[in-house]
Amino acid sequence: MNEQMRSRIDSIFHLWTQGICPGGQVLIRKGGETIYERCFGYADIENRVPITSDTVFHVASVSKQFTVMGVMLLSRDGLVDLDSDIRTYIPEYVGFPDTVTVRDLMNNDSGIWDLFELQDLQGISNDDITTQRYALKLISRQNALDFPPRSQYLYCNSNFILLAAIAEKVSGKSLREFLDERIFRPLGMTKTVVRDRYWECIDGRAKSFLDNGTQFFYNPLVYGIYGATSLHTTARDLAKWMENYRTPTICPEDVIREMTTVTKLTGGAPTTYACGLWVGQLEGHRYLQHVGEDAGFRTIVYRLPDDDIDIIILSNTQNTFTEPSAQAIARIMLGLPAAKKPEMPVREVFDLAEAPGFYYTELPQSAIIRIEERDGTLCRMEKYGPAPLTRVRGNLFRMGHLETYLLLGAENPMLFTPEETICLHKAADEPLPEEQLQRYAGRYYCEKLETFYTVRACGGALYMEQMRRGQTMLHAAGEDRFVTEYPRSCFVQFVKDDAGEVSGLTLSGTRIARMPFKKMR
């Protein structure tokens, strides 16, 4: 790698060089040899602990491919049949009548509802202490699927939590012990562990920080859920894992082939997801990859098998998008032109008074944005408070130093990130007739979640409240349909009986559709 290439790659991570800031590890291999390795920023900005090659990161959903490999190894041992009903192994966690196979879990086409959105509906966030035992109990309460198995693809963390349970039941060991015995130690991954206890201390572990464009906030991650997440490792250890895709040593070649072959849905429709990996092409160059996102942690492992290039990025902040960063590196390595930036249809003449309000997007995308004016400055209201916006021109605004832009106003609002362009809607929030509002008001209960929501009418508007999630305004988004300001599972559809009276509601999000609640009074 020449100095010009190295400098271009360095510049991708410029936000990790701005004083005392979080950062990450970046490692690139070509032909099995490391050709670029650099550590940026701080593992702990409070205590001024810099990131080194030994710093251990929570890698979130990158964990999934390791869980899949564990189950694949058990299959090769003759202990798991990938096409058997999961009841064969874990009947105690199956509450639905449909047949879901082990392979369905691996391919994310099971129809099972996502754990984190289930928890979110209960008011449990990633900041809260949760355990594997609780996760499995919640999954086991679901008595129906979102869709028939193999008919759709839907990314679902519950699938990999159940895979972990299968591996533990069959092996007679914890997932942590089993993966250490069959994967980590044989590959020499000495810094890698499944953190299955939220209270566990891990030497050299990076803390998680969110960046709102102007300042950093500590974002704790204290759950003990694993299988779908909670692998802790380093870029150097992940390079040893990537070598196993290149030259398999812990498994036969056909296991790698199976893990990297995309499934087909009922009727032959393809997806882009294999067994814990996304598979696709970058301008004709085949890749396999997986990202991870929990709290402020961001991770990607990205392999171009035909070009024999591996790219690994681990970070303890969300301010640098890992997938676009990995693709930018790949383009540099392959001599491809940089990705085109999206067009931003700016309205040059724009009244700032039009900017404040509530913005949202339709499913399956998810963006919930509230803009307010604070002391003469427009701000995006976030979990930790107001994040100031900088006006670029017209109705185009930027979030501080982040590469996140907003087109504000009622006419074609949009959100731009390095990852995606999202079309938004601005809520009109016109007062509704009191008689209509009172029909919606009441207390609603979901037996599957053992959770209540209360809907109240006040001042021509509707409000929804849940004990832990707090209160949110409901913004009209269609007939008997509203959108909340909750970050997940944000769409409310009121349900009427044969007499036209409101008898219940459903809540939907990106990974759960129509969770039913019954009106109690």
Side-chain angles (χ1 to χ4, degrees):
M1 176 179 289
N2 61 43
E3 284 305 311
Q4 183 184 29
M5 293 173 68
R6 182 177 297 276
S7 177
R8 290 174 65 191
I9 292 170
D10 287 347
S11 69
I12 295 170
F13 306 100
H14 63 96
L15 289 179
W16 298 351
T17 61
Q18 309 298 312
I20 306 299
C21 62
Q25 298 169 345
V26 182
L27 189 149
I28 306 168
R29 303 191 329 149
K30 172 70 174 173
E33 299 295 326
T34 297
I35 60 171
Y36 177 100
E37 183 180 17
R38 185 170 174 187
C39 297
F40 299 83
Y42 286 75
D44 182 352
I45 61 176
E46 291 180 294
N47 296 299
R48 304 297 194 265
V49 179
I51 290 171
T52 70
S53 58
D54 290 327
T55 300
V56 175
F57 289 81
H58 170 103
V59 298
S61 290
V62 168
S63 310
K64 292 177 170 64
Q65 59 200 282
F66 290 88
T67 304
V68 168
M69 176 61 82
V71 174
M72 287 281 200
L73 293 175
L74 289 168
S75 174
R76 292 308 184 275
D77 293 343
L79 299 175
V80 174
D81 180 352
L82 300 184
D83 295 307
S84 286
D85 190 326
I86 60 175
R87 286 179 181 81
T88 306
Y89 310 103
I90 48 170
E92 64 271 34
Y93 301 132
V94 182
F96 44 82
D98 312 68
T99 296
V100 170
T101 69
V102 178
R103 196 182 302 276
D104 294 334
L105 300 181
M106 293 178 172
N107 291 328
N108 268 331
D109 57 21
S110 69
I112 296 172
W113 286 350
D114 183 71
L115 170 78
F116 290 116
E117 289 211 13
L118 291 172
Q119 287 190 160
D120 200 64
L121 285 168
Q122 290 185 317
I124 298 171
S125 75
N126 283 359
D127 291 356
D128 296 319
I129 292 175
T130 51
T131 64
Q132 188 82 344
R133 181 193 63 79
Y134 182 78
L136 288 166
K137 184 176 181 180
L138 183 55
I139 293 169
S140 70
R141 289 184 59 83
Q142 308 314 305
N143 57 12
L145 298 178
D146 205 358
F147 52 81
R150 297 168 295 285
S151 67
Q152 296 181 40
Y153 161 81
L154 185 65
Y155 190 84
C156 174
N157 289 281
S158 302
N159 291 329
F160 299 88
I161 293 167
L162 292 173
L163 284 173
I166 291 171
E168 292 185 329
K169 178 71 76 72
V170 171
S171 71
K173 301 174 181 177
S174 69
L175 185 72
R176 174 194 183 107
E177 294 169 330
F178 179 69
L179 295 188
D180 186 58
E181 177 185 303
R182 297 294 295 272
I183 299 177
F184 305 151
R185 276 188 280 156
L187 292 180
M189 299 173 67
T190 58
K191 294 285 186 179
T192 303
V193 65
V194 175
R195 187 172 183 253
D196 54 6
R197 293 155 284 186
Y198 66 83
W199 59 82
E200 181 181 7
C201 293
I202 294 176
D203 289 346
R205 184 164 67 98
K207 288 185 177 181
S208 160
F209 298 92
L210 290 180
D211 181 357
N212 75 354
T214 56
Q215 63 183 119
F216 298 106
F217 300 91
Y218 175 49
N219 187 192
L221 192 62
V222 290
Y223 56 59
I225 298 167
Y226 56 90
T229 184
S230 292
L231 186 76
H232 284 61
T233 188
T234 67
R236 286 185 177 180
D237 268 14
L238 284 176
K240 297 171 183 176
W241 167 250
M242 300 300 279
E243 179 63 26
N244 191 68
Y245 285 126
R246 183 174 180 270
T247 308
T249 57
I250 62 168
C251 64
E253 181 78 41
D254 65 303
V255 170
I256 301 300
R257 230 176 359 256
E258 190 168 3
M259 281 186 68
T260 57
T261 300
V262 174
T263 187
K264 287 189 176 181
L265 302 174
T266 304
T271 76
T272 58
Y273 204 83
C275 299
L277 292 165
W278 276 288
V279 179
Q281 290 195 356
L282 176 67
E283 297 199 19
H285 296 263
R286 188 165 61 97
Y287 68 76
L288 56 95
Q289 62 99 344
H290 211 292
V291 296
E293 299 182 4
D294 276 336
F297 292 110
R298 296 294 184 270
T299 307
I300 190 168
V301 292
Y302 191 99
R303 174 161 174 77
L304 297 150
D306 300 330
D307 303 282
D308 205 3
I309 295 172
D310 299 311
I311 300 165
I312 301 164
I313 304 171
L314 311 185
S315 175
N316 62 335
T317 186
Q318 92 303 347
N319 64 16
T320 300
F321 290 77
T322 50
E323 186 172 359
S325 297
Q327 290 182 349
I329 292 172
R331 287 177 176 278
I332 292 169
M333 297 288 295
L334 297 170
L336 299 174
K340 292 182 180 179
K341 293 189 176 182
E343 294 184 11
M344 299 182 183
V346 180
R347 291 161 55 195
E348 300 293 351
V349 179
F350 179 69
D351 184 352
L352 285 175
E354 191 184 335
F358 176 70
Y359 299 80
Y360 67 95
T361 187
E362 285 288 348
L363 299 173
Q365 291 178 311
S366 178
I368 303 297
I369 299 168
R370 172 162 287 283
I371 303 297
E372 294 184 4
E373 183 180 336
R374 294 293 181 94
D375 299 324
T377 300
L378 283 180
C379 298
R380 178 174 175 173
M381 305 306 296
E382 297 196 319
K383 177 178 180 177
Y384 296 111
L389 301 180
T390 301
R391 189 177 190 179
V392 179
R393 70 179 198 274
N395 69 328
L396 179 64
F397 296 81
R398 181 176 180 176
M399 287 192 62
H401 58 238
L402 303 180
E403 291 296 321
T404 299
Y405 295 85
L406 286 160
L407 288 178
L408 299 178
E411 182 183 334
N412 299 322
M414 303 179 79
L415 169 67
F416 301 89
T417 74
E419 246 174 7
E420 57 188 342
T421 297
I422 299 176
C423 294
L424 302 171
H425 304 275
K426 186 180 183 188
D429 289 337
E430 297 176 355
L432 297 174
E434 187 66 21
E435 181 182 352
Q436 179 183 352
L437 296 178
Q438 289 302 331
R439 286 200 295 268
Y440 299 131
R443 190 163 169 79
Y444 297 80
Y445 179 69
C446 178
E447 184 177 358
K448 295 179 184 181
L449 300 172
E450 297 185 349
T451 299
F452 283 98
Y453 281 80
T454 301
V455 177
R456 297 186 180 90
C458 180
L462 276 183
Y463 295 86
M464 173 178 271
E465 185 173 7
Q466 197 264 353
M467 182 183 296
R468 293 179 65 92
R469 296 181 97 182
Q471 180 175 279
T472 175
M473 184 177 177
L474 297 185
H475 306 270
E479 185 176 356
D480 297 324
R481 185 170 183 261
F482 296 81
V483 58
T484 77
E485 297 191 31
Y486 296 138
R488 284 179 174 170
S489 307
C490 52
F491 282 91
V492 180
Q493 179 72 56
F494 287 96
V495 178
K496 294 180 178 178
D497 59 22
D498 293 340
E501 296 298 320
V502 174
S503 59
L505 62 80
T506 64
L507 287 172
S508 298
T510 56
R511 298 175 186 169
I512 282 184
R514 302 172 299 280
M515 176 65 75
F517 285 73
K518 182 180 179 181
K519 189 175 184 181
M520 307 303 292
R521 65 175 189 270

